[in-house]
Amino acid sequence: DAGVIQSPRHEVTEMGQEVTLRCKPISGHDYLFWYRQTMMRGLELLIYFNNNVPIDDSGMPEDRFSAKMPNASFSTLKIQPSEPRDSAVYFCASSGGQINSNQPQHFGDGTRLSIL
Amino acid sequence: AQSVTQPDIHITVSEGASLELRCNYSYGATPYLFWYVQSPGQGLQLLLKYFSGDTLVQGIKGFEAEFKRSQSSFNLRKPSVHWSDAAEYFCAVGSYSGNTPLVFGKGTRLSVIA
């Protein structure tokens, strides 16, 4: 049973470049979450989707960040242009049921992003 | 809205010793509570969850947690720690009413010494 799949696992790029992170949620899960993890701020929820529709993007730090979910099995988080302070580990998670249910979130292994 | 506090940023225990990681939540009704573990370079893995019934819940890897409503706590315990338990541990709280996703604590880093 495949879990949440993220790609790439590591990304190193120069500032100003466009970065695209990818996520495949667990089949049948209606909710998809994007998180950012840093030493300073811990785990931050950036945005989440329900049935491919963005529900809350209040955690997206700036307009440079955008996320899409074109279908139930794929989502992207894009940063354009990237800056060194965007360096972090980005996690994707998915869950089934309702948002207020007892269903846990299942996390991918993350993308470690380094902006030089 | 719900919130969760993990008072300890870093804890060090000896291998074989018992462990208790603290978690306090704030929520007006009975919450859903979760503990996750994050090993280095990996994502968060669910250890256990509580949503009703017996207040002592068993999880994977020999962990357990006890929900105490009077103390608004959901502390994680293990009777004998193994070196492989060294990781970051996150407590999370969800609400059964309202329309908000899980709220995570800032985590507690566990170091295990010989």
Side-chain angles (χ1 to χ4, degrees):
Chain A
D1 185 20
V4 175
I5 299 173
Q6 292 187 246
S7 65
R9 287 298 312 275
H10 303 274
E11 175 89 14
V12 180
T13 190
E14 294 184 347
M15 67 176 293
Q17 298 297 308
E18 178 179 289
V19 173
T20 299
L21 311 181
R22 297 172 176 81
C23 175
K24 177 180 170 56
I26 293 173
S27 178
H29 279 188
D30 296 328
Y31 285 89
L32 183 139
F33 306 83
W34 281 102
Y35 291 88
R36 179 173 68 177
Q37 186 178 41
T38 61
M39 290 289 292
M40 292 296 294
R41 296 185 175 180
L43 194 65
E44 302 174 276
L45 176 63
L46 300 178
I47 184 171
Y48 74 94
F49 295 81
N50 179 27
N51 292 323
N52 313 338
V53 176
I55 302 302
D56 185 353
D57 65 354
S58 60
M60 296 285 261
E62 303 172 32
D63 291 345
R64 299 184 295 106
F65 286 69
S66 63
K68 295 182 180 179
M69 193 165 185
N71 57 62
S73 59
F74 182 66
S75 177
T76 60
L77 178 67
K78 189 172 293 187
I79 308 173
Q80 167 63 20
S82 59
E83 297 183 3
R85 58 193 169 122
D86 301 330
S87 298
V89 181
Y90 290 82
F91 288 103
C92 176
S94 69
S95 70
Q98 299 299 312
I99 192 66
N100 56 355
S101 78
N102 58 23
Q103 295 302 307
Q105 293 180 20
H106 299 263
F107 283 75
D109 285 336
T111 295
R112 183 172 296 275
L113 177 64
S114 297
I115 308 297
L116 306 178
Chain B
Q2 66 269 35
S3 66
V4 60
T5 301
Q6 294 181 246
D8 304 305
I9 296 174
H10 183 207
I11 286 181
T12 299
V13 300
S14 298
E15 191 169 16
S18 64
L19 169 71
E20 182 168 29
L21 301 182
R22 296 184 291 165
C23 172
N24 294 100
Y25 68 90
S26 174
Y27 183 59
T30 300
Y32 299 136
L33 294 159
F34 305 81
W35 273 101
Y36 285 82
V37 60
Q38 183 182 25
S39 298
Q42 300 196 358
L44 280 68
Q45 179 186 18
L46 181 69
L47 280 176
L48 48 80
K49 67 179 183 180
Y50 168 81
F51 54 94
S52 68
D54 194 347
T55 56
L56 184 63
V57 293
Q58 303 297 320
I60 62 172
K61 305 185 180 188
F63 285 91
E64 67 178 26
E66 186 171 13
F67 170 59
K68 293 185 177 180
R69 184 190 304 275
S70 61
Q71 299 177 17
S72 299
S73 68
F74 188 57
N75 294 349
L76 182 71
R77 301 194 295 248
K78 187 169 184 177
S80 178
V81 170
H82 188 262
W83 64 266
S84 60
D85 294 324
E88 187 97 17
Y89 291 81
F90 293 90
C91 182
V93 60
S95 65
Y96 73 84
S97 63
N99 195 31
T100 56
L102 294 184
V103 174
F104 285 84
K106 294 191 179 299
T108 297
R109 184 161 63 93
L110 174 66
S111 296
V112 180
I113 58 176

